[in-house]
């Protein structure tokens, strides 16, 4: 545990900015004349044109070196409306509204989030695919699919909501299905690990890297992977992982190195930390 990963996982490659400064120069080019051409006359006419162009440029004429260059304009993105249309991505207002609509009173009272509070743990909101008979209908209803995890029953709950009417059109409940974890779940897993005796190595590595005590998930950048039980590859305490919501964390010190915590598994459902067998 008391090792800091510096290989592929922890490398940060800084790009070097290289500025190349060019020096403007006037270059006179004499093109070879054709056979029998009057070279003197050609050169004189070229010099006359160059003099005229130079005078025009000095006076600020079009295309000359003294011409004013209009300032660059960066167009602002159009303001996002409250509602999208057709297959437009969900707006922020639509996402906030559908998250509220998807949780009725019964679900709010019965479910539990990752911290043990009432209400399910929100995982994500996506625009629903249209029904088969609506594919060519420009006025087809816009629907959103909202996913939750209920830590009380260890169930993935998916609800489809009509964005126009606000009605819940369908609900599915699945056990043993483990989608990627949310930022809130990663933070709670880190909180449990920091407070656990098995988190001593993590705390020590953080101290070595920063000179400070690790007391909060906000001091780390967190990635994670869902962990499922593999018979014979872990202690019995992790046998429920897959039915329970379990994960391995890949923490990184903010503006610092990665810390190797791959042998530790956090069971969010049981709120326990265990170390994988290394034999």
């Amino acid at each position: 545990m008391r090792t800091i990963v510096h290989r592929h996982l922890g490398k940060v490659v800084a790009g070097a900015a290289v500025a190349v400064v060019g020096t403007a120069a006037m270059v006179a080019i004499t093109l070879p004349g054709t056979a029998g051409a009057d070279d003197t006359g050609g050169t004189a006419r070229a010099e006359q044109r160059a003099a005229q162009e130079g005078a025009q440029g000095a006076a600020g004429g079009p295309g000359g070196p003294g011409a004013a260059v209009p300032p660059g304009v960066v167009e602002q993105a159009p303001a996002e409306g409250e509602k999208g249309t057709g297959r437009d991505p969900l707006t922020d207002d639509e996402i906030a509204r559908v998250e509220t609509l998807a949780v009725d009173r019964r679900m709010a009272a019965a479910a539990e989030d990752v911290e043990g509070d009432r209400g399910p743990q929100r995982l994500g909101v996506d625009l629903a695919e249209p029904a088969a008979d609506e594919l060519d209908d420009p006025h087809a209803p816009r629907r959103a699919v909202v996913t939750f995890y209920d830590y009380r029953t260890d169930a993935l709950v998916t609800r489809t909501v009509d964005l126009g009417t606000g009605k819940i059109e369908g609900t599915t409940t699945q056990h043993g299905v483990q989608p990627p974890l949310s930022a809130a779940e990663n933070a709670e897993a880190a909180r449990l690990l920091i407070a656990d005796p098995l988190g001593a190595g993590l705390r020590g590595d953080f101290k070595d890297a920063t000179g400070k005590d690790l007391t909060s998930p906000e001091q780390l950048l967190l990635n994670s992977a869902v962990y499922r039980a593999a018979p014979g590859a872990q202690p019995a305490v992790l046998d429920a992982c897959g039915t329970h919501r379990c994960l391995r964390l890949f923490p990184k010190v903010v503006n610092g190195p990665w810390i190797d915590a791959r042998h530790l598994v956090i069971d969010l459902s049981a709120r326990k930390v265990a170390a994988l067998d290394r034999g």
Side-chain angles (χ1 to χ4, degrees), residues 53-54 56-58 60-68:
E53 291 173 357
Q56 185 181 45

PDB file of all heavy atoms in Angstrom, residues 53-54 56-58 60-68:
ATOM      1  N   GLU A  53       2.500  49.908 -54.950  1.00  0.00           N
ATOM      2  CA  GLU A  53       1.927  49.084 -53.883  1.00  0.00           C
ATOM      3  C   GLU A  53       2.473  49.489 -52.525  1.00  0.00           C
ATOM      4  O   GLU A  53       1.764  49.509 -51.524  1.00  0.00           O
ATOM      5  CB  GLU A  53       2.223  47.610 -54.158  1.00  0.00           C
ATOM      6  CG  GLU A  53       1.455  47.073 -55.357  1.00  0.00           C
ATOM      7  CD  GLU A  53       1.876  45.665 -55.715  1.00  0.00           C
ATOM      8  OE1 GLU A  53       2.811  45.146 -55.052  1.00  0.00           O
ATOM      9  OE2 GLU A  53       1.291  45.087 -56.647  1.00  0.00           O
ATOM     10  N   GLY A  54       3.790  49.832 -52.472  1.00  0.00           N
ATOM     11  CA  GLY A  54       4.384  50.257 -51.205  1.00  0.00           C
ATOM     12  C   GLY A  54       3.772  51.539 -50.717  1.00  0.00           C
ATOM     13  O   GLY A  54       3.494  51.718 -49.533  1.00  0.00           O
ATOM     14  N   GLN A  56       0.770  52.650 -51.428  1.00  0.00           N
ATOM     15  CA  GLN A  56      -0.603  52.393 -51.020  1.00  0.00           C
ATOM     16  C   GLN A  56      -0.628  51.752 -49.635  1.00  0.00           C
ATOM     17  O   GLN A  56      -1.452  52.095 -48.779  1.00  0.00           O
ATOM     18  CB  GLN A  56      -1.280  51.463 -52.039  1.00  0.00           C
ATOM     19  CG  GLN A  56      -2.759  51.224 -51.753  1.00  0.00           C
ATOM     20  CD  GLN A  56      -3.371  50.287 -52.765  1.00  0.00           C
ATOM     21  OE1 GLN A  56      -2.780  49.267 -53.099  1.00  0.00           O
ATOM     22  NE2 GLN A  56      -4.529  50.642 -53.273  1.00  0.00           N
ATOM     23  N   GLY A  57       0.305  50.797 -49.381  1.00  0.00           N
ATOM     24  CA  GLY A  57       0.352  50.151 -48.074  1.00  0.00           C
ATOM     25  C   GLY A  57       0.707  51.116 -46.978  1.00  0.00           C
ATOM     26  O   GLY A  57       0.144  51.087 -45.881  1.00  0.00           O
ATOM     27  N   ALA A  58       1.653  51.994 -47.230  1.00  0.00           N
ATOM     28  CA  ALA A  58       2.052  52.960 -46.214  1.00  0.00           C
ATOM     29  C   ALA A  58       0.926  53.893 -45.869  1.00  0.00           C
ATOM     30  O   ALA A  58       0.825  54.405 -44.757  1.00  0.00           O
ATOM     31  CB  ALA A  58       3.263  53.762 -46.729  1.00  0.00           C
ATOM     32  N   GLY A  60      -2.089  53.029 -45.670  1.00  0.00           N
ATOM     33  CA  GLY A  60      -3.191  52.289 -45.051  1.00  0.00           C
ATOM     34  C   GLY A  60      -4.165  51.746 -46.051  1.00  0.00           C
ATOM     35  O   GLY A  60      -5.309  51.465 -45.729  1.00  0.00           O
ATOM     36  N   GLY A  61      -3.732  51.601 -47.308  1.00  0.00           N
ATOM     37  CA  GLY A  61      -4.619  51.097 -48.338  1.00  0.00           C
ATOM     38  C   GLY A  61      -4.894  49.625 -48.149  1.00  0.00           C
ATOM     39  O   GLY A  61      -4.237  48.945 -47.370  1.00  0.00           O
ATOM     40  N   PRO A  62      -5.839  49.112 -48.877  1.00  0.00           N
ATOM     41  CA  PRO A  62      -6.231  47.720 -48.728  1.00  0.00           C
ATOM     42  C   PRO A  62      -5.107  46.771 -49.070  1.00  0.00           C
ATOM     43  O   PRO A  62      -4.460  46.910 -50.097  1.00  0.00           O
ATOM     44  CB  PRO A  62      -7.411  47.572 -49.710  1.00  0.00           C
ATOM     45  CG  PRO A  62      -7.233  48.677 -50.704  1.00  0.00           C
ATOM     46  CD  PRO A  62      -6.631  49.802 -49.940  1.00  0.00           C
ATOM     47  N   GLY A  63      -4.875  45.795 -48.186  1.00  0.00           N
ATOM     48  CA  GLY A  63      -3.902  44.756 -48.452  1.00  0.00           C
ATOM     49  C   GLY A  63      -2.480  45.133 -48.135  1.00  0.00           C
ATOM     50  O   GLY A  63      -1.600  44.279 -48.159  1.00  0.00           O
ATOM     51  N   GLY A  64      -2.185  46.385 -47.830  1.00  0.00           N
ATOM     52  CA  GLY A  64      -0.830  46.787 -47.549  1.00  0.00           C
ATOM     53  C   GLY A  64      -0.453  46.540 -46.114  1.00  0.00           C
ATOM     54  O   GLY A  64      -1.290  46.265 -45.258  1.00  0.00           O
ATOM     55  N   PRO A  65       0.857  46.675 -45.811  1.00  0.00           N
ATOM     56  CA  PRO A  65       1.322  46.423 -44.454  1.00  0.00           C
ATOM     57  C   PRO A  65       0.761  47.402 -43.440  1.00  0.00           C
ATOM     58  O   PRO A  65       0.725  47.113 -42.253  1.00  0.00           O
ATOM     59  CB  PRO A  65       2.850  46.526 -44.577  1.00  0.00           C
ATOM     60  CG  PRO A  65       3.093  47.281 -45.845  1.00  0.00           C
ATOM     61  CD  PRO A  65       1.958  46.969 -46.756  1.00  0.00           C
ATOM     62  N   GLY A  66       0.314  48.569 -43.884  1.00  0.00           N
ATOM     63  CA  GLY A  66      -0.232  49.537 -42.941  1.00  0.00           C
ATOM     64  C   GLY A  66      -1.729  49.419 -42.764  1.00  0.00           C
ATOM     65  O   GLY A  66      -2.337  50.228 -42.066  1.00  0.00           O
ATOM     66  N   ALA A  67      -2.351  48.416 -43.440  1.00  0.00           N
ATOM     67  CA  ALA A  67      -3.808  48.286 -43.372  1.00  0.00           C
ATOM     68  C   ALA A  67      -4.234  47.873 -41.970  1.00  0.00           C
ATOM     69  O   ALA A  67      -3.584  47.071 -41.315  1.00  0.00           O
ATOM     70  CB  ALA A  67      -4.283  47.250 -44.388  1.00  0.00           C
ATOM     71  N   ALA A  68      -5.333  48.454 -41.506  1.00  0.00           N
ATOM     72  CA  ALA A  68      -5.849  48.126 -40.182  1.00  0.00           C
ATOM     73  C   ALA A  68      -6.439  46.715 -40.198  1.00  0.00           C
ATOM     74  O   ALA A  68      -7.168  46.348 -41.109  1.00  0.00           O
ATOM     75  CB  ALA A  68      -6.922  49.138 -39.770  1.00  0.00           C
TER      76      ALA A  68
END
